[in-house]
């Protein structure tokens, strides 16, 4: 039903009932003069309804048609539209002002999004260029390093066993290894490898990383405890997650003093499975905690500052997240949360196995 009819219908109903009552009274009295009054009343009722329709058409219908037209323009992407009836001092005017404010806010939000998009695209292009430069530079550094390492081996063979220069050669070899490790991790960040997803036991992956870390833990008199738990198999790259866990374990061992402890346990939620690495080390101050995942940020003298950055990227490539909580003087807690079911986006590489086949 048209809205004008809905607006006039109650008034028409009241007038019609009044006329009906008036007609009944007139007919019962049988007074001919009252027929003239009846005609006048009927004409008045019709006039009132006609005037109301005209007023509604001017006061309400025109603004509504204009509002519909402006909404269609906004839907088409034009955010510079305005309605003219916003100057009115009534409810229709309030509606117009609210509409104009809404369009203005949408326009400002779109401009801000476009600005941020341009900034992010420029930054992405800049980082891509830096990545290419870093990868090329890393290859150029590796070749001389290999030559230096070979020369050190030749010199070491010719030096007498009692020569004090052997200690210097050992230091040089250590520094060459340190540079080579930085270059390797830099290449991993500049040219990240696509995870090779396979359905596997996450507990077994963590157990393998703990096994590799036990020697260094024993050398520093730090105990490692692995709390096993039955978990559903999940899709993950065992090599990459092993790398992440080993990095966290070695950091935890270095953070602990003698007789410290590191605990590896698991948590299962509705959609995620988590590996939790907790240590009793010195903890991370709050002013440093926000920066630990930044590339090249390190508090260790012999650290590269790339381990945690690489770990964060690997976990995010798995569709997961890595969180950290730390208490100064008491220790830290790193949580790696991985999804039980990996969402494969368009263009993503398919896996050879699936969770569905494991369930079957």
């Amino acid at each position: 039903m048209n809205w004008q009819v809905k607006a006039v219908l109650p008034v028409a109903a009241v007038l019609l009932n009044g006329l009906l009552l008036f007609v009944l009274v007139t007919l019962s009295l049988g007074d001919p003069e009252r027929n003239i009054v009846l005609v006048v009343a009927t004409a008045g009722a019709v006039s009132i309804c006609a005037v109301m329709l005209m007023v509604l058409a001017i006061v309400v219908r025109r603004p509504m048609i204009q509002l519909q037209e402006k909404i269609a323009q906004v839907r088409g992407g034009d955010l510079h539209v305005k309605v003219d009836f916003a100057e009115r001092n009534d409810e229709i005017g309030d509606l117009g002002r609210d509409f104009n404010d809404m369009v203005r806010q949408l326009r400002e939000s779109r401009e801000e999004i476009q600005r941020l998009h341009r900034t992010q695209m420029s930054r992405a292009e800049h980082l891509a260029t830096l990545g290419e430069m870093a990868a090329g530079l890393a290859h150029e550094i590796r070749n001389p390093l290999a030559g230096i390492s070979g020369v050190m081996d030749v010199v070491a063979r010719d030096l007498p066993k009692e020569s004090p220069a052997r200690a210097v050669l050992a230091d040089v070899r250590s520094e060459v290894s340190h540079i080579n490790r930085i270059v390797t991790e830099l290449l991993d960040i500049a040219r990240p490898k696509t995870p090779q997803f396979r359905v596997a036991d996450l507990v077994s992956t963590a157990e393998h990383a703990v096994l590799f870390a036990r020697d260094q833990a024993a050398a520093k008199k730090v105990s490692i405890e692995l709390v096993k738990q039955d978990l559903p198999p999940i899709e993950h790259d065992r090599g990459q997650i092993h790398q992440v866990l080993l990095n966290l374990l070695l950091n935890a061992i270095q953070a602990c003093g003698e007789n410290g402890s590191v605990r590896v346990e698991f948590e299962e939620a509705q959609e995620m499975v988590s590996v939790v690495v907790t240590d009793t080390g010195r903890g991370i101050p709050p002013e440093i905690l926000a920066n630990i995942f930044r590339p090249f940020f390190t508090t260790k003298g012999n650290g590269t500052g790339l381990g945690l950055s690489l770990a964060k990227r690997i976990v995010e490539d798995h569709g997961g997240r890595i969180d950290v909580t730390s208490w100064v003087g008491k220790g830290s807690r790193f949580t790696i949360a991985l999804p039980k079911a990996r969402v494969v986006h368009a263009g993503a590489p398919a896996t050879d196995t699936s969770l569905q086949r494991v369930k079957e």
Side-chain angles (χ1 to χ4, degrees):
M1 186 182 295
N2 194 296
W3 67 269
Q4 292 101 323
V5 177
K6 291 180 181 179
V8 175
L9 197 58
V11 178
V14 171
L15 292 173
L16 183 61
N17 289 331
L19 284 172
L20 213 59
L21 182 60
F22 186 73
V23 168
L24 291 174
V25 172
T26 302
L27 292 176
S28 64
L29 294 175
D31 188 354
E33 294 182 359
R34 293 184 179 271
N35 292 335
I36 299 175
V37 178
L38 178 60
V39 172
V40 173
T42 303
V46 172
S47 300
I48 291 174
C49 291
V51 170
M52 284 191 63
L53 283 174
M54 291 178 62
V55 171
L56 289 173
I58 296 173
V59 176
V60 179
R61 180 171 173 75
R62 286 182 181 176
M64 292 301 101
I65 292 175
Q66 185 184 9
L67 184 61
Q68 288 177 337
E69 293 173 351
K70 299 301 182 181
I71 290 175
Q73 289 179 266
V74 171
R75 189 182 294 114
D78 184 3
L79 296 182
H80 292 84
V81 299
K82 286 185 178 180
V83 292
D84 300 332
F85 54 85
E87 304 298 327
R88 289 172 45 172
N89 294 320
D90 56 10
E91 289 80 1
I92 301 295
D94 293 338
L95 177 63
R97 286 186 289 274
D98 291 340
F99 176 80
N100 289 344
D101 288 341
M102 180 192 70
V103 173
R104 178 184 55 79
Q105 292 175 10
L106 286 174
R107 183 175 63 253
E108 293 174 353
S109 298
R110 185 176 68 177
E111 291 172 354
E112 180 66 14
I113 291 172
Q114 290 174 342
R115 185 188 67 79
L116 292 175
H117 177 70
R118 288 192 297 269
T119 302
Q120 290 297 326
M121 289 299 295
S122 175
R123 184 181 179 188
E125 292 175 0
H126 180 63
L127 290 175
T129 303
L130 287 178
E132 293 177 2
M133 291 177 58
L137 184 62
H139 283 296
E140 293 297 325
I141 292 174
R142 265 187 163 178
N143 294 331
L145 279 180
I148 293 172
S149 182
V151 170
M152 291 300 101
D153 291 339
V154 172
V155 172
R157 286 199 303 267
D158 295 339
L159 282 175
K161 291 184 178 180
E162 64 277 5
S163 174
R166 284 187 172 274
V168 177
L169 287 178
D171 291 339
V172 173
R173 282 177 176 172
S174 175
E175 292 303 320
V176 167
S177 299
H178 180 63
I179 295 173
N180 189 58
R181 189 168 69 253
I182 293 176
V183 170
T184 300
E185 292 181 353
L186 186 60
L187 279 174
D188 289 338
I189 291 178
R191 294 181 178 176
K193 297 178 181 178
T194 302
Q196 301 299 312
F197 291 100
R198 299 289 185 275
V199 176
D201 183 12
L202 185 61
V203 177
S204 175
T205 303
E207 188 176 13
H208 196 247
V210 170
L211 182 64
F212 271 70
R214 284 197 186 280
D215 289 341
Q216 186 163 339
K220 291 198 66 175
K221 298 181 181 179
V222 175
S223 63
I224 298 182
E225 179 186 6
L226 175 66
V227 182
K228 294 185 179 181
Q229 182 178 333
D230 291 332
L231 296 175
I234 65 169
E235 281 187 299
H236 66 285
D237 186 317
R238 293 195 64 178
Q240 290 191 0
I241 297 301
H242 170 272
Q243 179 183 352
V244 172
L245 289 172
L246 184 60
N247 182 275
L248 294 182
L249 288 169
L250 295 179
N251 286 347
I253 293 169
Q254 292 175 6
C256 292
E258 288 192 2
N259 301 318
S261 64
V262 179
R263 180 184 176 92
V264 181
E265 54 192 335
F266 305 89
E267 296 176 353
E268 182 179 2
Q270 186 174 0
E271 298 179 353
M272 308 290 283
V273 173
S274 301
V275 187
V276 183
V277 179
T278 308
D279 65 71
T280 59
R282 55 184 175 269
I284 306 171
E287 62 272 14
I288 295 177
L289 192 63
N291 298 316
I292 62 173
F293 293 109
R294 287 174 52 192
F296 299 106
F297 180 86
T298 180
T299 57
K300 297 181 290 186
N302 61 343
T304 65
L306 295 172
L308 287 178
S309 174
L310 184 58
K312 185 174 185 291
R313 183 190 60 75
I314 289 174
V315 172
E316 289 178 348
D317 285 348
H318 279 68
R321 66 179 186 275
I322 180 169
D323 301 317
V324 57
T325 306
S326 189
W327 305 268
V328 176
K330 296 182 179 179
S332 303
R333 173 188 172 97
F334 283 82
T335 302
I336 300 171
L338 299 175
K340 289 182 178 179
R342 187 173 63 92
V343 178
V344 180
H345 300 285
T351 56
D352 294 338
T353 54
S354 65
L355 285 173
Q356 183 62 33
R357 290 218 297 267
V358 170
K359 292 177 181 177
E360 291 172 354

